[in-house]
Amino acid sequence: MNNIISNRIFAFIFLTIVLLLLLWMPTWTKINVGDAPGVVYSPPWIGFLVILIGLAYEMFRPSLNLKRDTNWKWILAGVFLFLVILTMIVVQEIWMPYKQGYSVFGMKSFEFPLGSGNISVWPQLLWDFLNVHFTDTTVLALLFGILFLTMSTPQTSRGYKLILIGAVIFTAFLMLGHFSFLISGIDPTGGYYSRFTRMELLSQWWFQWDFWSEMVILVSALWLLFKGKKPAAIAN
C-alpha cells in the first residue's frame, strides 16, 4: 500500500511539473525566439505529451519500483543528471560569469515578444527561477535522475515505458536538431541557434548541458526499452 501511495505522489508531482513546463514554454519562446508557434508546437513536444500520458497512467496504475538500484552504471547516469541541474543553478543563479553587473536581486528587462519593441520588466529572481527550473533540460534531468536510480524497468511498468518512449521522441528530435545545425547549418529552433556561429554555439554553457543531458537520457532510455534492467541488478 505504501508503494502505491508513493508511486502516485511521485507521478502527481511530475505530472504537475511537466504541465507547468508546457504552460511556460510558449512564453519562453516568445521571449527568446519571438512569435514562432512552429517552435512551440513542433514535433519534439509530442514526446512530452507521451510523458504526460505515462505519468497519468502511473497515477492510476502504479507500477514503478522506487527502491534504490545499486548498479554503478545507473548510479552514474542519475548522478550525472543531478550534476547538470546543480551546474545550471550555480551558473545561472549564482555565478553568471558571462554577465557583468548581474545581481539575482535586480530587475530583468526584455522584449516581449522578441523583436516587437515592447519592453517588459521582471524581478531577476523570478526570471532565473523560470529559466532554470522550468526548462525541458531541468525537468527531464530531474525526472530521469530519480528514475535511473531506482529499480524501475519498463518490462514491468507500462507507465514507465510510456515515459521512456516520450523521452526518446523528445531527445531524438533535439539531438537531430543539434547535429543538423552543427553539420549543415540548418536551424531547427526558429532562429535561436542562428544567432551563433557553430563554434559559438558549442561554447555556450546551456548548449553543453542540454546536449549531454539529452544524450545520456536518450541512450539510457533506449537501453531500458530494449534491454531493461538485468534481474541481478534488480535483485541487489
Side-chain angles (χ1 to χ4, degrees), residues 117-220:
N118 298 322
I119 303 299
S120 296
V121 180
W122 287 7
Q124 185 71 52
L125 186 62
L126 175 62
W127 171 270
D128 288 347
F129 178 79
L130 290 172
N131 276 275
V132 173
H133 299 289
F134 283 103
T135 67
D136 51 276
T137 302
T138 309
V139 171
L140 289 180
L142 182 61
L143 175 60
F144 289 102
I146 294 173
L147 287 175
F148 289 163
L149 292 175
T150 70
M151 295 180 181
S152 301
T153 178
Q155 282 67 32
T156 59
S157 173
R158 291 184 179 179
Y160 193 21
K161 181 178 287 188
L162 287 170
I163 293 169
L164 289 169
I165 290 172
V168 168
I169 293 171
F170 185 78
T171 55
F173 269 110
L174 262 60
M175 293 302 294
L176 181 63
H178 297 332
F179 284 113
S180 69
F181 182 78
L182 293 173
I183 295 173
S184 59
I186 299 173
D187 186 353
T189 65
Y192 191 68
Y193 281 5
S194 297
R195 301 180 303 168
F196 308 97
T197 65
R198 295 171 190 175
M199 292 306 298
E200 286 174 343
L201 184 64
L202 287 172
S203 68
Q204 300 299 310
W205 289 85
W206 55 265
F207 180 80
Q208 290 296 326
W209 58 55
D210 281 2
F211 182 90
W212 292 110
S213 63
E214 289 157 11
M215 178 68 78
V216 168
I217 291 170
L218 177 59
V219 172
S220 300

Side-chain angles (χ1 to χ4, degrees), residues 18-95:
V18 172
L19 282 172
L20 289 173
L21 167 68
L22 295 178
L23 290 172
W24 161 245
M25 284 311 294
T27 302
W28 183 95
T29 302
K30 287 184 178 181
I31 293 171
N32 292 279
V33 181
D35 283 315
V39 175
V40 180
Y41 304 108
S42 57
W45 291 96
I46 295 173
F48 264 99
L49 294 178
V50 177
I51 291 174
L52 274 178
I53 294 171
L55 290 167
Y57 188 92
E58 181 63 24
M59 284 182 61
F60 292 100
R61 295 288 181 86
S63 55
L64 290 172
N65 184 347
L66 297 180
K67 292 182 180 179
R68 185 169 60 89
D69 191 347
T70 57
N71 185 298
W72 69 269
K73 294 179 182 178
W74 294 110
I75 292 175
L76 189 62
V79 169
F80 175 81
L81 293 176
F82 284 130
L83 286 175
V84 167
I85 298 173
L86 182 62
T87 302
M88 292 175 67
I89 292 172
V90 170
V91 171
Q92 291 194 224
E93 293 191 82
I94 300 175
W95 186 21

